[in-house]
Amino acid sequence: MIRSGFTVVLFAIAAATAGAPAHAEQPATDTTAPFSVNARLNFSMVYPRFLRFRVGTAGATVNLMTFTVAAASVGAATPVAATGGDAGGSAVNVEVVGNNGQVTITPTNSSTNLGIGTGTASDGRINYNQIATTTSLAQLPAPVLSNTGGAPVLPTLNTALVTNRTAVWTYSYLNQTIPSAGTYGGTVVARGGRVTYTATMP
């Protein structure tokens, strides 16, 4: 059984703002027909810069994506679906919202560049290139995972400074190798199975 845990890093830039009062002119009076009096207001809206990001279940939950390979198909290069996704089985919900320029999503993992292990050195490791990720939305691409983390991806901006994208990322285990028997990765971070996606924004 191969387990791979994923975690989400959320960055938020919050600026507390106090609303300024709306100012009106002093009362004016028109005593000559036809009567016409103007009274004006100025309005101001103050928004903080912010970045919101999640991969999987919202909140503190770290989804555990579990690939269970049948004995008859080990190493057969037949992709294996996962369980544990908040969008059902192999799939997780992804959201990124920000308002201060291009967002970058970068994956890292806890394997110290070695791949996913069982905790016993002699069992060997499973390379992260055996985990494939697809996205339901081209404007919110999924990073390609590797033992060293993976290359950053850039969600497409909705406007010049604003990003507001949601997608479903789906994972599969490519099953192209024959590893030693055991449980790889999982919730024991030292086994190398935890991926952290970090979203950054200027």
Side-chain angles (χ1 to χ4, degrees):
M1 179 183 294
I2 299 164
R3 295 176 178 266
S4 181
F6 295 83
T7 188
V8 179
V9 175
L10 169 102
F11 284 79
I13 304 173
T17 59
H23 296 284
E25 294 180 295
Q26 296 299 315
T29 303
D30 187 351
T31 59
T32 303
F35 300 98
S36 177
V37 177
N38 291 328
R40 296 175 294 184
L41 291 174
N42 293 325
F43 291 94
S44 175
M45 291 76 168
V46 181
Y47 281 87
R49 292 177 296 168
F50 78 98
L51 176 61
R52 183 169 67 245
F53 178 53
R54 77 173 175 114
V55 178
T57 302
T61 298
V62 180
N63 293 96
L64 176 63
M65 308 298 289
T66 301
F67 302 98
T68 303
V69 184
S73 63
V74 171
T78 302
V80 177
T83 59
D86 71 310
S90 292
V92 297
N93 290 296
V94 182
E95 176 188 35
V96 59
V97 185
N99 65 351
N100 199 56
Q102 180 63 62
V103 174
T104 301
I105 300 173
T106 305
T108 57
N109 63 64
S110 63
S111 78
T112 61
N113 302 337
L114 298 175
I116 306 169
T118 65
T120 301
S122 60
D123 287 339
R125 298 268 181 160
I126 294 175
N127 196 303
Y128 264 101
N129 67 14
Q130 290 297 297
I131 299 176
T133 319
T134 60
T135 183
S136 64
L137 182 72
Q139 292 84 357
L140 181 46
V144 176
L145 301 180
S146 70
N147 286 355
T148 57
V153 296
L154 305 177
T156 303
L157 287 154
N158 294 74
T159 65
L161 293 175
V162 175
T163 301
N164 184 10
R165 301 290 183 188
T166 59
V168 173
W169 290 353
T170 302
Y171 297 88
S172 61
Y173 173 62
L174 297 182
N175 189 26
Q176 295 170 331
T177 62
I178 302 177
S180 301
T183 298
Y184 291 73
T187 59
V188 180
V189 176
R191 293 180 179 176
R194 173 162 291 184
V195 171
T196 299
Y197 295 96
T198 301
T200 58
M201 180 183 72

